[in-house]
Amino acid sequence: MGGMGEMIFFRQVSMTPNYDILPRLVAPLASGEVTRFAPSPSGYLHLGHAFSAMFASHLAAASGGVMRLRIDDIDTTRCREMYFDAIFEDLAFLEIPYAKPVRYQSEHLTASHEALEYLKNQDLIYPCYLSRRELAELLSAPHQPSNTDQLIAADIRHEREAEGNQPAWRLRMATLRDRVGAIEAMDLIHGRVSISLDHIGDEVIARRDIGTSYHLSTVLDDDAMGVTLVSRGYDLFDAIPIQRILQELLGLKPPRYAHHELIPNEHGQRLAKRENALSLRQMRQNGLDRGRILRMMTKCRNFIEKI
Ligand code: GLU
């Protein structure tokens, strides 16, 4: 574990032997970090997830803390029962420890609704009744207003309200830019990230179908779980700005981040859930044992052991 100011060097995650870049943990771990592994049960976990879970678990252990497990199951259109089971089986098979209880994101929707109420009262969000298609059409026109609520004629909006249609809720960035100063995030791998609000659009923070969003539920749950270090794959690096904005608006203590490199498939491409080839479930069914799967992440293990 690193002390204050100490640099920790480790190997880049890769399955390709000669791909041997050495990034560094530019900021030290605090003692007793709470990390989390937060898979969505919308597909089988693959080697990349296994790495993420091990990474979070090792960072926690190295700092004398714990990793928690959260099941990101708010998108009911995509979650399947078999994927829930597989998450537990895969983690048990790989002997990746986590602190109980497991948190199910779908059991905490009230917190999202309360947060939305609060943001509504602050006039920081607005309802959007436009469909994706309507929005695309309207936004392709010249002279666009800054808020999408100005794109919809008042009578159509009232009609949709009256019909009981659920709106999506969007951040009112124009107001927010005046109220929120500079925002920063600290990523232990990538360093300080400063976030400019100028290039961020009116992001949807509550979808019309589920009444929340990945970003909103994530910041609320991370906070409720006492997460101090959000470690996850680099594919979610771009989630930092919106999540930091929501933390500021909702008065949540910001965690620090560690976005790790992604494990590529044998063609050097990013692993996807829809590709079954490298799913842990498939590998287990093909008779690969734990040691073999861990060896497929040899480099990951090398660097984890160095932390
Ligand atoms: N549930 C997300 C996923 O499986 C991860 C969320 C997060 O780590 O912030 O991609």
Side-chain angles (χ1 to χ4, degrees):
M1 197 209 318
M4 273 303 288
E6 191 181 325
M7 298 285 198
I8 304 164
F9 291 84
F10 60 90
R11 280 176 190 280
Q12 180 103 353
V13 182
S14 171
M15 288 166 57
T16 328
N18 294 325
Y19 187 61
D20 219 350
I21 311 157
L22 293 169
R24 54 199 182 152
L25 220 49
V26 296
L29 293 169
S31 90
E33 300 274 12
V34 177
T35 62
R36 48 50 158 202
F37 175 52
S40 307
S42 56
Y44 288 124
L45 301 187
H46 53 56
L47 205 55
H49 294 104
F51 177 69
S52 252
M54 279 183 61
F55 184 72
S57 168
H58 278 80
L59 286 179
S63 71
V66 289
M67 178 185 90
R68 300 193 186 285
L69 176 63
R70 184 176 76 223
I71 309 292
D72 282 359
D73 57 350
I74 47 171
D75 191 346
T76 42
T77 56
R78 294 174 60 220
C79 296
R80 300 279 174 277
E81 204 53 46
M82 60 190 180
Y83 300 137
F84 284 81
D85 297 341
I87 291 172
F88 296 109
E89 288 165 20
D90 290 341
L91 290 177
F93 181 80
L94 293 174
E95 297 169 28
I96 298 176
Y98 52 88
K100 298 225 166 63
V102 177
R103 187 175 176 96
Y104 291 85
Q105 209 162 41
S106 62
E107 290 175 1
H108 301 277
L109 295 177
T110 326
S112 300
H113 301 153
E114 283 167 10
L116 284 177
E117 274 317 301
Y118 171 78
L119 295 172
K120 266 180 230 175
N121 293 337
Q122 302 278 317
D123 201 27
L124 288 168
I125 54 175
Y126 62 85
C128 177
Y129 288 92
L130 296 169
S131 67
R132 231 179 262 245
R133 186 150 146 219
E134 287 171 320
L135 260 180
E137 278 168 16
L138 289 164
L139 289 172
S140 63
H143 311 301
Q144 300 151 18
S146 57
N147 291 346
T148 58
D149 55 351
Q150 293 162 11
L151 288 170
I152 186 167
D155 53 340
I156 302 183
R157 179 176 157 173
H158 292 146
E159 199 177 288
R160 293 189 184 177
E161 269 167 4
E163 281 167 3
N165 287 344
Q166 285 304 315
W169 288 89
R170 288 179 180 272
L171 279 178
R172 200 184 282 289
M173 284 305 292
T175 311
L176 216 139
R177 278 185 206 106
D178 293 338
R179 289 206 213 160
V180 181
I183 300 186
E184 288 196 334
M186 174 49 95
D187 188 299
L188 301 198
I189 295 171
H190 301 277
R192 199 165 288 286
V193 182
S194 48
I195 297 154
S196 159
L197 301 191
D198 295 343
H199 307 292
I200 300 175
D202 289 359
E203 189 95 23
V204 170
I205 60 152
R207 284 166 37 177
R208 71 190 83 232
D209 56 345
I210 55 175
T212 184
S213 63
Y214 156 62
H215 293 303
L216 182 59
S217 284
T218 294
V219 297
L220 291 168
D221 281 320
D222 283 342
D223 181 69
M225 294 161 78
V227 172
T228 58
L229 179 60
V230 170
S231 67
R232 57 190 178 193
Y234 190 71
D235 51 336
L236 288 166
F237 189 78
D238 290 345
I240 293 178
I242 200 75
Q243 296 187 2
R244 282 290 300 109
I245 288 172
L246 287 173
Q247 285 150 1
E248 289 298 308
L249 298 180
L250 297 169
L252 309 174
K253 185 165 189 275
R256 296 189 303 163
Y257 295 89
H259 287 87
H260 62 72
E261 286 300 314
L262 301 179
I263 294 195
N265 66 16
E266 66 271 36
H267 309 295
Q269 296 150 341
R270 179 181 153 176
L271 297 177
K273 268 194 184 151
R274 57 185 177 280
E275 286 178 75
N276 210 20
L278 284 173
S279 80
L280 297 173
R281 159 70 49 127
Q282 186 67 52
M283 287 195 269
R284 291 202 277 120
Q285 280 171 358
N286 290 351
L288 266 65
D289 62 16
R290 174 175 183 266
R292 180 78 191 283
I293 297 177
L294 294 183
R295 276 196 298 283
M296 290 177 78
M297 300 191 290
T298 306
K299 295 224 165 166
C300 321
R301 291 187 67 215
N302 280 348
F303 96 69
I304 281 171
E305 280 158 11
K306 281 190 185 154
I307 291 172

